[in-house]
Amino acid sequence: MVTAYIMVKANTGEADRLKAEILDLGAGVVDANIVAGDVDFVVKVAVETPVDVKDVASAIQAIGGIEDTQTYIAMD
């Protein structure tokens, strides 16, 4: 099992819509939290392989209003 955290920046004020769309992706998305700071969301992902993490990150990037993502794979 691979756990990753995807930091998401948005370029829209529609945080609730974006959160719902991220959670609706399923595909390993465990949780999405709206946060204050340099990013707008932290998304927790639990999948089988690192390639699956890339697929989830790509799906998030395809959502309208998403500006940028940074992905961190947990090492423990």
Side-chain angles (χ1 to χ4, degrees):
M1 183 65 71
V2 177
T3 300
Y5 296 90
I6 302 174
M7 309 300 139
V8 180
K9 286 187 180 182
N11 61 10
T12 178
E14 300 177 273
D16 291 330
R17 175 188 64 85
L18 293 175
K19 180 178 177 178
E21 288 194 38
I22 291 168
L23 290 170
D24 286 346
L25 291 175
V29 174
V30 174
D31 201 4
N33 296 102
I34 299 169
V35 298
D38 293 336
V39 297
D40 299 297
F41 300 92
V42 175
V43 180
K44 183 176 181 181
V45 175
V47 291
E48 291 298 318
T49 69
V51 173
D52 296 331
V53 174
K54 180 182 175 283
D55 292 342
V56 175
S58 294
I60 291 171
Q61 291 168 352
I63 295 171
I66 300 298
E67 182 178 314
D68 191 29
T69 63
Q70 293 181 350
T71 303
Y72 299 90
I73 294 178
M75 301 303 289
D76 65 350

